[in-house]
């Protein structure tokens, strides 16, 4: 399972870390608590797929879940009802557990508008920005603050 560690300073950055099933959850939570003391936030990536489960999200000291884009892509491409139900289920779980949620894979305004109708409020995808390095991010943020 991949965890994203978000740290906030002048810039927001992402560092990938791997969760090891060989360590007890209590040990991992202790280490996460120390890092939280430095302002580091934790997100569970690709939620709803693989080993990113609801049970794990409740056990771990995470701040947010990132709902995997596979649900969104299938929903958009073929208007599949099952994917919409799963996306809503994941959003409802996050809200009930008081965990921030992000829907990955938003690539246009129409999709964002539609996802808002199913209760989503935070998004990630090419509609907002392609992945950028730290130098380019600093320029983007600098330009947006000038507006």
């Amino acid at each position: 399972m991949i965890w994203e560690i978000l740290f906030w300073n002048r810039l927001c950055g992402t560092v990938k870390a791997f969760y090891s099933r060989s360590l007890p959850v209590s040990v991992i939570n202790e280490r996460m608590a120390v890092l939280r003391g430095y302002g580091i936030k934790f997100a569970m990536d690709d939620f709803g797929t693989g080993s990113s489960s609801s049970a794990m999200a409740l056990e771990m000291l995470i701040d947010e879940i990132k709902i995997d884009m596979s649900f969104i892509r299938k929903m958009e491409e073929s208007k599949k009802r099952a994917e919409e139900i799963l996306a809503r289920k994941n959003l409802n779980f996050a809200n009930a557990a008081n965990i921030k949620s992000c829907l990955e894979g938003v690539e246009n305004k129409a999709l964002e508008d539609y996802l808002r109708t199913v209760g989503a409020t935070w998004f990630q995808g090419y509609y907002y920005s392609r992945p950028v390095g730290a130098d380019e991010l600093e320029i983007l943020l600098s330009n947006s603050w000038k507006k």
Side-chain angles (χ1 to χ4, degrees):
M1 173 186 315
I2 296 175
W3 292 87
E4 282 193 358
I5 301 172
L6 304 177
F7 58 93
W8 300 92
N9 199 332
R10 185 159 176 247
L11 297 176
C12 169
T14 302
V15 175
K16 297 282 185 179
F18 293 91
Y19 161 68
S20 171
R21 290 183 180 215
S22 63
L23 290 174
V25 172
S26 60
V27 172
I28 295 168
N29 280 339
E30 286 172 14
R31 293 175 183 175
M32 290 170 74
V34 169
L35 293 171
R36 277 186 167 189
Y38 293 100
I40 295 173
K41 305 280 186 194
F42 295 88
M44 181 181 282
D45 202 16
D46 301 330
F47 186 78
T49 63
S51 58
S52 295
S53 70
S54 315
M56 186 61 67
L58 292 173
E59 271 189 271
M60 306 299 289
L61 296 175
I62 63 165
D63 301 288
E64 53 201 63
I65 59 171
K66 296 178 69 182
I67 298 170
D68 190 70
M69 71 174 72
S70 62
F71 298 111
I72 308 311
R73 292 256 165 79
K74 290 176 186 172
M75 218 165 70
E76 182 183 36
E77 291 170 5
S78 59
K79 305 294 185 213
K80 288 188 178 180
R81 183 80 176 130
E83 277 73 16
E84 179 181 335
I85 291 168
L86 287 171
R88 283 182 193 246
K89 178 188 90 56
N90 289 332
L91 287 167
N92 290 339
F93 163 77
N95 290 335
N98 200 27
I99 299 172
K100 187 176 178 180
S101 62
C102 171
L103 285 167
E104 302 174 336
V106 177
E107 298 191 7
N108 57 61
K109 177 78 169 126
L111 181 56
E112 178 190 309
D113 290 344
Y114 174 72
L115 292 171
R116 286 188 187 281
T117 69
V118 299
T121 57
W122 192 54
F123 309 97
Q124 175 184 330
Y126 288 166
Y127 174 62
Y128 310 100
S129 175
R130 300 252 183 227
V132 297
D135 293 341
E136 196 174 343
L137 179 60
E138 187 169 6
I139 293 167
L140 286 170
L141 291 175
S142 176
N143 289 339
S144 69
W145 289 329
K146 291 177 185 175
K147 293 180 182 179

